[in-house]
């Protein structure tokens, strides 16, 4: 409000409650406006692809586990919430895999370093954020839980990797990061 | 000339720094001394330069091209540049070629994080390769149980091949193929079959050769390291136990560290899992109603204290005995004997040195007035002539074996072997193949062999003239005795000729630095002590006993046998190896202990067993020792243990002896405790804790300390360090905790006493060849140590069991043919003691008429052995027997 108005105008405004009308104008305008809030959980927000939600382990399209148990996510994690126990796959000699994989999501700071460190893009972040629970123990995600999330939110995970330019969309996704050589066994007669 | 050593030196400039190094140093080594690291793959200080990787290029002024610094020797005024643009360019190109084929599987490679190629690539190459071609992939023929090769990662530096040949003398690996398709393989289309020293795994600069035992269980940055001493043989190798979350992951050794200088054997490299075997005892056990029941420490210790207190009051301290294993640390051994002597008041204590090493110590004490070697491993390496008598050194003490190989192969020493080996190459190295003179003897003939040496010394007129003047009587007595024995009688049952002995002693005498290495073949076979004294005579006659760089090296089997002697864990010796009977020594000990040790003579192991059999020994403490599993049934250990009223075992596992115990207390293995131990050459080294004790197990010394408190004469120590301090104050010789031991010289006074009369005591006995009763059809069965095991402890190590998991009787192929058996068949071994059936293997290195069986798997076969006890040292001889062998 300008303070340097004429006394006549001032008087006129006072008599007519002009300030109240000004305020009511905003109020009435909003009566016809689309509501700004979401009625969570009935209504949900659209989340961008880069969103850092719950972590997931992904599989290749043929169902094979992407994770090779290299422990690099564990090394990259600033809050030490990842624990990988890896060993040699008894059925496929010389192939490394994660026998156990834990993420203590209560400790996780959602920095996404683990996803960046992963040489095979096995880890990704999903748009899942609804896992509050009365039982804190369920927040230690084990390998089964992480793959389950990965299966349910595979599309989210892939979108996250594309958005962060870690994996290319389409056919080449599997070959984009290095595919480790599989030892070839000579047949005895070869 | 350098002032300290008198060696010629060279001054050169490396990257602007002026440095003076000894002549003939390689440029790469000189640079390292100047603090400049030149990247390399194929160079290794232990190996001869090969210059095949081309990574170590440097620019040297006035030389036309870049030079490989690993094969160029320094020269006066040389100017070397290691970081010039040309050099950088060359390194980049070399790496680019290596990376053209090296797979980018660092994330799944066990070497990732400590890989030379990874480090150099970070430093010298661009992040993206210019090569788009496919990388080579080698097909695999087999997967190995222990040493796995992933040839796709190989950079073809051939370090492994050269190590296997130059250092180990095994020659198990070879490069195959050409160019980038060169592949490291073993000979034949089967798994690697070698000494499994792990050298190739350790020396590989990339991840091409890795250990299957710890494969993918770790990343290098997760590992915690503990520099400790290997718990198997007497060589006392320094090992780095690498652990992750209180689990043993792998073993390494450091170049330039310990007495082994980065070399290990199969036991050291693959045997570490014995400590954490699932069968380990983790809670104290007390026998209740005939069964061993788990109880608390309090209950177990109180039971022991009450019972042993009762035995002491009822029957006196003389009714209590104790046995301890020489695998314990000095602290355990020291406190054990202090506990027995002060708290219980008895001298009846013995350790596993009694199985053989005691023969050497008694002979040392008698002739030289010492209880340790007068030489070190360094002297062995620097020796001109070496003589091995009954050592089978590759299998018993592999690292001593490497020192001998180094002396022979790299320094041109001449080697004389009196071994029960045929000089044939096999999958594991054979020291006899390196010998200038090899005298092949049956395992029961080493005594005869030494007599032959004495005879040859006289016949060749090699007797030291100074000795002849000083002690003509001694020389004369020996001469008369030995001349009375004819060669025909000595060599009745061997193919040797007198001239072979003549040549051997002549060669031995030619070296200025000559060392005799004596092994278990001598120390553990009947007459071991006499033979040991005779070996002293040989050296005395040649004038070699008292000369620097010369001497006798007797090999200990267990890692701390020398420590057991020095800590006084034998009945007649106090700490510092002072005799119990010497009042002066007892006063000296009392000054530290505050109380005098008992003066009654103690009993040896076999005497204790005898006393227990007659019911005079009522209580027995057995610490890590397993007499029931080590001695044959005919020794009567079982009967003895049955009559004992209190048997307390401190053990890692429920052994045969522990199964009969009244109380079993869980002890820690070497990986779980601090302390010191003394290796066979007399060098004190630190044992450090790598993991927390398993379950409720405690270090042995803590158990003795707790018991002493309950028995009202407390010996309290807070840590093992306090004990170490007490030991160091008492025993000056154990203060040496440095890079190398300081060997003592023989005591001239004792030596004089010996040659002027001391030799007479048993001259008749020891200069008489033992009567040989060889009948046709019978063979000599020898329980020998295998390279892949040590005692019974290593049979709990899963890695070693993958190499050797059961006992196989080894026969000469000719004998096998005579018996009509082939490798894999079964034979029956029989004599008056009993019989047993075992699989058989034809092995070229076993002499004819001999059956060699690994002692680690002797459970069924032990019954054919009989025990004879050495009259002077009380050593039980039970490793040789005459048996008849038949095909089953």
């Amino acid at each position: 409000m300008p303070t340097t108005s004429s006394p006549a105008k001032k008087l006129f405004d006072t008599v007519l409650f002009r300030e109240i009308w000004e305020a009511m104008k905003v109020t009435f305008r909003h009566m016809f406006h689309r509501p700004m809030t979401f009625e969570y959980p009935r209504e949900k927000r659209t989340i961008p692809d880069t969103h850092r939600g719950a972590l997931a382990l992904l599989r290749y399209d043929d169902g094979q586990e992407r994770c090779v148990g290299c422990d690099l996510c564990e090394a990259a994690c600033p809050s030490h919430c990842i624990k990988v126990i890896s060993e040699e796959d008894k059925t496929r000699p010389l192939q490394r895999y994660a026998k156990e994989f834990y993420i203590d999501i209560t400790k996780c700071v959602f920095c996404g370093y683990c996803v960046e460190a992963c040489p095979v893009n096995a880890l990704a972040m999903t748009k899942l954020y609804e896992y509050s629970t009365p039982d804190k123990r369920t927040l230690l995600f084990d390998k089964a839980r992480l793959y389950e999330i990965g299966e349910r939110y595979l599309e989210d995970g892939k979108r996250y990797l594309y958005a962060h330019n870690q994996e290319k969309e389409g056919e080449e996704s599997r070959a984009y990061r290095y595919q480790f050589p599989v030892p070839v066994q000579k047949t005895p007669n070869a | 000339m350098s002032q300290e050593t008198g060696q010629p030196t060279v001054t050169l400039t490396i990257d602007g720094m002026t440095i003076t190094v000894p002549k003939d140093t390689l440029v790469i080594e000189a640079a390292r001394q100047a603090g400049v690291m030149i990247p390399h793959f194929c160079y290794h200080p232990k190996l001869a330069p090969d210059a095949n990787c081309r990574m170590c290029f440097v620019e040297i002024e006035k030389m036309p091209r870049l030079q490989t610094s690993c094969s160029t020797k320094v020269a006066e005024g040389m100017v070397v540049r290691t970081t010039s643009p040309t050099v950088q360019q060359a390194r980049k190109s070399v790496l680019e070629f290596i990376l053209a084929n090296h797979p980018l599987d660092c994330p799944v490679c066990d070497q990732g994080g400590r890989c030379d190629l990874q480090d150099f690539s970070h430093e010298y190459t661009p992040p993206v390769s210019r090569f788009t071609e496919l990388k080579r992939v080698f097909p695999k023929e087999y997967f190995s149980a222990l040493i796995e090769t992933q040839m796709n990662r190989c950079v073809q530096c051939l370090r492994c091949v050269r190590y296997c040949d130059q250092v180990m003398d095994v020659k198990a690996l070879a490069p195959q193929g050409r160019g980038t398709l060169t592949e490291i393989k073993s000979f034949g289309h089967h798994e690697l079959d070698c000494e499994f020293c792990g050298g190739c795994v350790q020396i590989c600069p990339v991840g091409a050769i890795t250990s299957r035992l710890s494969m993918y269980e770790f990343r290098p940055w997760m590992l915690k390291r503990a520099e400790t001493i290997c718990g198997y043989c007497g060589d006392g190798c320094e090992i780095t136990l690498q652990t992750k979350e209180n689990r043993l992951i792998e073993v390494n050794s450091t170049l330039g560290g310990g007495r082994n200088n980065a070399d290990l054997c199969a036991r050291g490299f693959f045997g570490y899992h014995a400590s954490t075997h699932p069968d380990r005892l983790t809670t104290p056990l007390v026998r209740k109603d005939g069964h061993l029941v788990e109880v608390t420490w309090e209950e177990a210790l109180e039971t022991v204290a009450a019972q042993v207190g009762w035995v002491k009051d009822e029957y006196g301290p003389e009714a209590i005995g104790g046995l301890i294993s020489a695998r314990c640390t000095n602290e355990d051994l020291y406190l054990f004997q202090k506990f027995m002597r002060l708290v219980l008041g008895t001298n009846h204590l013995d350790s596993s040195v009694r199985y053989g090493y005691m023969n050497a110590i008694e002979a040392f004490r008698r002739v030289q007035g010492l209880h340790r070697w007068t030489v070190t491993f360094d002297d062995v390496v620097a020796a001109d002539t070496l003589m091995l008598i009954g050592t089978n050194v590759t299998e018993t003490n592999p690292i001593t074996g490497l020192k001998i190989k180094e002396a022979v192969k790299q320094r041109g020493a001449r080697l004389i072997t009196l071994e029960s080996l045929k000089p044939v190459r096999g999958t594991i190295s054979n020291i006899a193949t390196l010998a200038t003179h090899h005298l092949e003897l049956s395992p029961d003939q080493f005594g005869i062999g030494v007599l032959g040496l004495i005879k040859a010394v006289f016949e060749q007129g090699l007797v030291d003239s100074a000795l002849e003047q000083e002690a003509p009587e001694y020389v004369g007595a020996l001469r008369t005795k030995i001349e009375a024995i004819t060669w025909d009688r000595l060599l009745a049952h061997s193919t040797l000729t007198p001239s072979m002995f003549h040549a051997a002693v002549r060669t031995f005498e030619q070296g200025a630095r000559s060392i005799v290495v004596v092994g278990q073949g001598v120390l553990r076979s009947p007459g071991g002590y006499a033979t040991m004294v005779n070996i002293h005579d040989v050296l005395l006659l040649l004038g070699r006993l008292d000369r620097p760089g010369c001497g006798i090296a007797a090999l200990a089997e267990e890692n701390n046998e020398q420590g057991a002697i020095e800590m006084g864990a034998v009945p007649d010796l106090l700490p510092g190896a002072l005799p119990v009977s010497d009042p002066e020594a007892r006063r000296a000990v009392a000054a530290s202990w505050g109380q005098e040790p008992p003066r009654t003579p103690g009993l040896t192991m076999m005497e204790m067993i005898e006393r227990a059999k007659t019911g005079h020994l009522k209580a027995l403490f057995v610490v890590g020792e397993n007499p029931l599993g080590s001695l044959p049934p005919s020794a009567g250990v079982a009967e003895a243990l049955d009559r004992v009223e209190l048997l307390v075992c401190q053990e890692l596992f429920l052994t045969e002896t522990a199964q009969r115990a009244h109380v079993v207390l869980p002890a820690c293995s070497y990986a779980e405790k601090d302390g010191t131990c003394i290796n066979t050459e007399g060098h004190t080294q630190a044992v450090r804790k790598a993991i927390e004790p398993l379950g409720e197990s405690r270090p042995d010394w803590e158990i003795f300390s707790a018991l002493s408190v309950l028995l009202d004469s407390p010996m309290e120590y807070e840590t093992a360090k306090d004990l170490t301090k007490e030991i160091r104050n008492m025993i000056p010789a154990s203060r040496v905790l440095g890079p190398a031991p300081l060997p003592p010289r023989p005591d001239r006074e004792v030596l004089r006493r010996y040659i002027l009369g001391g030799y007479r005591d048993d001259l008749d006995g020891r200069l008489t060849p033992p009567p040989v009763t060889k009948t046709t059809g019978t063979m000599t069965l020898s329980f020998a140590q295998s390279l892949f095991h040590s005692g019974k402890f290593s049979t709990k190590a899963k890695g070693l069991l993958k190499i050797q998991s059961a006992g196989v009787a080894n026969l000469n192929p000719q004998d096998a043919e005579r018996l009509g058996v082939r490798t894999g068949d079964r034979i029956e071994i029989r004599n008056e003691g009993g019989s047993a059936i075992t699989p058989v293997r034809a092995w070229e290195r076993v002499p004819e008429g001999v059956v060699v069986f690994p002692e680690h798997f002797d459970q069924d076969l032990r019954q054919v052995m009989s025990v004879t006890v050495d009259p002077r040292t009380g050593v039980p001889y039970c490793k040789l027997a005459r048996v008849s062998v038949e095909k089953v």
Side-chain angles (χ1 to χ4, degrees):
Chain A
M1 278 273 142
T3 48
T4 55
S5 52
S6 66
K9 175 118 185 350
K10 214 171 171 183
L11 182 73
F12 181 75
D13 283 353
T14 317
V15 173
L16 285 179
F17 302 108
R18 183 187 156 99
E19 279 168 351
I20 291 178
W21 288 117
E22 284 282 325
M24 290 311 279
K25 202 167 84 195
V26 175
T27 309
F28 284 116
R29 200 166 63 228
H30 273 88
M31 281 177 76
F32 307 100
H33 196 281
R34 201 162 52 87
M36 296 290 271
T37 52
F38 292 90
E39 295 213 353
Y40 179 80
R42 197 157 49 76
E43 277 176 88
K44 282 180 188 168
R45 202 186 254 273
T46 330
I47 291 172
D49 285 349
T50 50
H51 176 76
R52 297 196 189 127
L55 283 155
L57 281 171
L58 305 185
R59 289 175 193 275
Y60 289 116
D61 294 340
D62 58 6
Q64 197 199 322
E65 288 175 8
R66 288 194 185 193
C67 176
V68 290
C70 70
D71 293 285
L72 291 180
C73 45
E74 190 178 325
C77 182
S79 57
H80 301 296
C81 70
I82 304 182
K83 166 105 201 115
V84 187
I85 298 171
S86 49
E87 61 170 37
E88 190 186 358
D89 192 338
K90 298 279 179 294
T91 55
R92 299 178 302 152
L94 292 183
Q95 295 292 294
R96 187 176 178 137
Y97 87 114
K99 191 174 132 213
E100 290 166 54
F101 196 111
Y102 298 100
I103 297 182
D104 185 351
I105 211 79
T106 61
K107 277 197 205 164
C108 181
V109 294
F110 300 96
C111 62
Y113 283 4
C114 50
V115 182
E116 240 177 272
C118 186
V120 287
N121 290 344
L123 268 173
M125 286 188 142
T126 62
K127 293 171 188 169
L128 169 69
Y129 52 85
E130 294 165 307
Y131 43 87
S132 57
T133 165
D135 184 1
K136 205 176 169 185
R137 278 168 292 187
T138 60
L139 294 179
L140 179 67
F141 289 1
D142 61 1
K143 191 178 156 186
R145 178 87 191 270
L146 288 163
Y147 270 115
E148 187 200 309
I149 299 173
E151 242 158 76
R152 287 207 2 234
Y153 300 90
L154 180 65
E155 226 21 68
D156 289 359
K158 283 186 172 173
R159 299 242 137 250
Y160 179 91
L161 294 172
Y162 304 151
H164 283 86
N165 206 18
Q166 279 193 241
E167 191 166 291
K168 280 184 187 160
E169 206 166 344
E171 282 291 292
E172 53 195 321
S173 68
R174 204 177 153 171
Y176 180 64
R177 283 257 169 147
Y178 195 76
Q179 186 74 40
F180 299 119
V182 179
V184 189
Q185 180 125 34
K186 233 189 224 172
T187 48
N189 298 326
Chain B
M1 290 267 180
S2 99
Q3 279 170 355
E4 301 94 54
T5 55
Q7 267 180 322
T9 57
V10 165
T11 303
L12 73 162
T13 312
I14 298 175
D15 286 349
M17 282 173 283
T18 308
I19 178 174
T20 305
V21 293
K23 192 170 172 276
D24 288 342
T25 309
L26 298 169
V27 172
I28 196 167
E29 273 299 312
R32 198 179 53 78
Q33 286 173 32
V36 177
M37 202 283 290
I38 299 176
H40 58 270
F41 294 110
C42 74
Y43 170 74
H44 193 276
K46 294 197 90 122
L47 306 176
D50 206 36
N52 67 43
C53 74
R54 319 309 284 175
M55 190 65 204
C56 65
F57 275 136
V58 289
E59 205 178 340
I60 300 176
E61 256 178 33
K62 293 178 192 155
M63 286 206 181
R65 288 184 302 271
L66 293 178
Q67 299 294 319
T68 48
S69 59
C70 74
S71 62
T72 312
K73 286 181 180 171
V74 292
E76 192 61 47
M78 201 180 234
V79 179
V80 180
R81 275 189 291 271
T82 69
T83 48
S84 68
T86 333
V87 173
Q88 299 279 28
Q89 193 63 38
R91 285 177 188 168
K92 197 176 144 189
S93 314
V94 168
L95 274 175
E96 200 168 10
F97 275 119
I98 290 175
L99 291 177
N101 269 314
H102 189 85
L104 288 177
D105 60 352
C106 301
V108 292
C109 175
D110 270 343
Q111 196 81 359
R114 56 177 177 194
C115 174
D116 288 351
L117 182 58
Q118 220 177 20
D119 296 346
F120 300 152
S121 304
H122 272 290
E123 212 170 328
Y124 301 110
T125 62
V128 181
S129 169
R130 289 188 290 167
F131 287 97
T132 52
E133 289 83 359
L134 286 177
K135 300 191 177 197
R136 66 169 183 206
V137 176
F138 288 110
K140 278 192 80 75
E141 276 184 83
Y142 46 80
F143 295 99
S144 310
L146 288 175
I147 295 177
E148 189 56 87
T149 54
Q150 303 199 28
M151 276 305 129
N152 300 340
R153 297 179 186 150
C154 181
V155 296
Q156 290 137 355
C157 65
L158 305 188
R159 265 199 208 175
C160 50
V161 175
R162 290 182 293 142
Y163 184 85
C164 202
D165 169 25
Q166 292 173 18
V167 177
M168 296 306 297
D169 193 41
V170 177
K171 305 178 173 46
L173 295 171
Q176 246 179 54
R178 308 188 66 173
T180 51
L181 293 177
T182 308
E183 191 177 0
I184 310 300
K185 288 190 129 179
S186 57
F187 293 95
H189 299 277
H190 54 75
E191 264 185 56
L192 198 57
D193 180 12
C194 65
E195 278 192 21
F196 290 97
C197 67
C200 47
V201 178
Q202 287 203 71
I203 213 163
C204 183
V206 293
I209 306 183
T210 51
S211 156
R212 210 326 102 67
L213 221 47
S214 54
M215 190 174 268
Y216 303 153
E217 280 180 13
F218 67 98
R219 307 256 50 173
W221 55 81
M222 295 172 173
L223 298 176
K224 274 192 195 167
R225 290 158 186 81
E227 302 267 294
T228 185
I229 300 300
C230 175
Y232 286 118
C233 77
D235 288 342
C237 296
E238 187 180 281
I239 54 174
T240 310
L241 277 177
Q242 311 238 32
T243 60
K244 178 187 155 191
E245 289 153 5
N246 215 29
R247 279 189 309 129
L248 296 174
I249 297 290
E250 63 164 14
V251 167
N252 289 132
S253 56
T254 325
L255 191 67
R259 305 301 295 150
N260 52 324
N261 192 15
D263 299 321
L264 287 177
C265 70
R267 300 190 286 251
F269 196 78
F270 289 112
Y272 55 93
H273 280 295
S275 297
T276 49
H277 192 275
D279 287 353
R280 269 284 297 275
L281 294 169
T282 51
T283 43
L285 307 171
V286 168
R287 191 169 294 278
K288 288 179 181 168
D289 304 325
H291 298 286
L292 286 170
V293 186
E294 291 189 358
V295 294
T296 59
W297 266 109
E298 287 77 9
E299 189 183 338
L301 289 175
E302 274 162 19
T303 312
V304 175
Q307 300 253 7
V308 78
W310 176 79
V311 169
K312 193 180 168 188
D313 292 344
E314 195 79 2
Y315 305 103
E318 295 300 300
I320 308 173
L323 293 175
I324 190 164
S325 161
R327 288 197 198 282
C328 294
T329 60
N330 284 341
E331 285 67 21
D332 297 333
L333 290 158
Y334 171 81
L335 204 61
F336 169 75
Q337 60 87 30
K338 191 174 172 186
F339 174 78
M340 294 303 290
R341 288 193 166 120
L342 279 199
V343 180
L344 302 179
T346 173
N347 272 325
H348 302 336
L349 58 107
D350 210 345
S351 59
S352 45
V353 286
R354 192 62 64 186
Y355 288 119
Y357 195 55
M358 202 61 200
N359 278 334
I361 298 300
E362 289 292 350
F364 282 166
R365 278 163 50 78
R366 175 174 171 198
V367 184
Q368 311 186 39
L370 285 171
H371 53 274
R372 43 167 71 191
W373 292 12
T374 52
V375 288
T376 62
F377 285 160
D378 311 311
D379 290 321
V380 171
V381 172
D384 300 320
T385 47
L386 283 158
M387 188 187 290
L388 308 188
I389 307 177
T391 57
N392 195 11
V393 72
T394 305
E395 303 196 36
T396 55
N397 294 59
I399 302 306
T400 313
L402 290 186
K403 307 284 172 199
I404 294 164
K405 286 172 194 169
E406 188 180 340
V408 175
K409 291 182 72 168
Q410 287 172 28
R411 309 183 77 121
R414 274 176 296 174
L415 180 67
I416 298 142
T417 50
L418 278 75
E419 296 279 356
S420 174
L421 289 171
K422 284 199 155 305
V424 208
R425 287 215 145 270
T427 52
I428 65 174
S429 63
N430 184 341
I431 200 77
T433 56
L434 295 177
T436 328
H437 298 280
H438 175 57
L439 308 179
E440 183 193 315
L441 294 163
S442 163
D444 49 1
Q445 288 178 330
F446 294 122
I448 295 175
V450 174
L451 291 181
L453 290 176
I454 299 181
K455 200 169 165 62
V457 169
F458 280 112
E459 289 185 359
Q460 291 293 307
L462 298 173
V463 180
D464 183 31
S465 52
L467 178 81
E468 218 152 12
Q469 279 179 3
E470 196 184 356
E473 221 173 288
Y474 163 71
V475 178
L478 247 62
R479 192 193 299 270
T480 1
K481 284 279 346 156
I482 205 76
E483 275 174 0
I485 310 167
T486 60
W487 281 112
D488 287 345
R489 199 170 144 212
L490 274 182
L491 306 177
H493 296 282
S494 68
T495 53
L496 302 176
T497 59
S499 61
M500 292 163 94
F501 283 91
H502 293 156
V505 288
R506 260 203 320 274
T507 305
F508 185 72
E509 200 267 344
Q510 278 161 12
R513 300 164 71 91
S514 0
I515 294 174
V516 177
V517 184
V518 187
Q520 290 163 34
V522 171
L523 301 176
R524 295 195 168 192
S525 51
Y529 171 72
T531 310
M532 197 62 206
V533 178
N534 290 346
I535 293 168
H536 277 90
D537 287 335
V538 175
L539 283 187
L540 270 170
L541 289 173
L542 293 172
R544 286 296 193 285
L545 194 60
D546 196 15
R547 220 191 260 179
C550 298
I552 301 178
L555 300 174
E557 191 223 342
E558 291 179 350
N559 61 328
N560 203 16
E561 292 197 7
Q562 186 64 38
I565 301 288
E566 308 212 354
M567 294 305 122
V570 279
D572 46 356
L573 296 179
L574 291 169
L578 304 168
V580 172
S581 50
D582 179 8
E584 195 109 336
R586 295 219 319 239
R587 266 198 298 281
V589 169
S592 164
W593 287 359
Q595 194 184 331
E596 232 185 62
R599 67 187 67 207
T600 48
L603 302 177
T604 64
M605 178 168 63
M606 294 311 286
E607 288 165 345
M608 270 188 259
I609 290 166
E610 288 305 317
R611 283 281 279 273
K613 258 195 272 188
T614 55
H616 288 93
L617 196 82
K618 299 290 183 188
L620 189 60
F621 282 84
V622 179
V623 184
E625 189 42 61
N626 181 11
L628 198 55
S630 309
L631 292 167
S634 58
V637 183
E639 295 84 354
L641 295 182
D642 281 343
R643 294 212 61 180
V644 167
E645 283 179 32
L646 174 67
L647 176 61
V648 183
C649 279
Q650 275 171 227
E651 256 302 345
L652 298 174
F653 299 100
L654 205 60
T655 57
E656 291 96 326
T657 310
Q659 279 164 17
R660 291 173 181 248
H662 300 100
V663 183
V664 183
L665 304 171
C668 285
S669 74
Y670 71 104
E672 297 146 61
K673 58 187 173 191
D674 287 317
T676 54
C677 68
I678 304 179
N679 77 345
T680 182
E681 52 167 353
H683 188 33
T684 311
Q685 304 181 96
V687 174
R688 294 188 187 88
K689 180 166 151 180
I691 53 172
E692 291 301 315
L694 251 68
E696 289 176 29
S697 62
R698 307 300 312 154
D700 289 300
W701 66 265
E702 276 191 38
I703 302 174
F704 302 131
S705 181
L707 279 174
S708 71
V709 174
L710 290 174
L711 287 164
D712 290 331
S713 32
M715 306 186 297
E716 290 181 273
Y717 301 90
E718 206 166 311
T719 59
K721 264 230 160 78
D722 296 344
L723 263 167
T724 317
K725 270 183 211 156
E726 185 175 320
I727 295 169
R728 285 198 197 179
N729 287 335
M730 279 187 82
I731 311 168
S734 76
R735 279 187 202 140
V736 192
L737 240 178
L742 300 171
R745 299 308 317 154
D747 187 338
R748 289 197 169 259
E749 196 48 47
V750 179
L751 214 55
R752 262 181 71 79
R753 228 182 294 143
Y754 175 76
I755 54 174
L756 295 180
Y759 68 92
R760 276 195 214 109
D761 297 1
D762 55 349
L763 192 64
D764 293 334
R766 66 191 165 86
L767 286 187
T768 312
V772 186
T773 47
K774 287 215 170 167
T775 43
T776 47
T778 63
M779 300 178 82
T780 306
L781 171 67
S782 161
F783 280 177
Q785 202 183 338
S786 151
L787 170 62
F788 305 115
H789 283 286
S790 172
K792 300 279 189 294
F793 182 47
S794 69
T795 58
K796 302 282 183 188
K798 65 179 182 192
L800 297 177
L801 288 177
K802 280 184 182 169
I803 313 175
Q804 186 180 23
S805 61
V808 174
N810 298 292
L811 292 177
N812 185 280
Q814 283 188 23
D815 284 330
E817 201 176 313
R818 185 171 55 76
L819 293 164
V821 290
R822 276 189 294 181
T823 301
D825 288 351
R826 294 161 78 78
I827 52 167
E828 186 180 27
I829 296 178
R830 171 199 297 281
N831 71 0
E832 61 280 4
S835 71
I837 294 174
T838 129
V840 70
R841 169 168 75 145
W843 201 16
E844 289 79 8
R845 62 194 276 169
V846 180
E848 288 98 353
V850 178
V851 185
V852 177
F853 193 86
E855 59 180 8
H856 326 282
F857 303 99
D858 62 357
Q859 285 87 341
D860 303 326
L861 209 53
R862 223 181 293 137
Q863 48 179 317
V864 304
M865 292 292 168
S866 57
V867 185
T868 49
V869 179
D870 192 289
R872 280 186 81 119
T873 56
V875 170
Y877 299 120
C878 55
K879 298 288 175 193
L880 289 173
R882 301 288 302 164
V883 291
S884 59
V885 179
E886 271 167 47
K887 187 186 176 180
V888 185

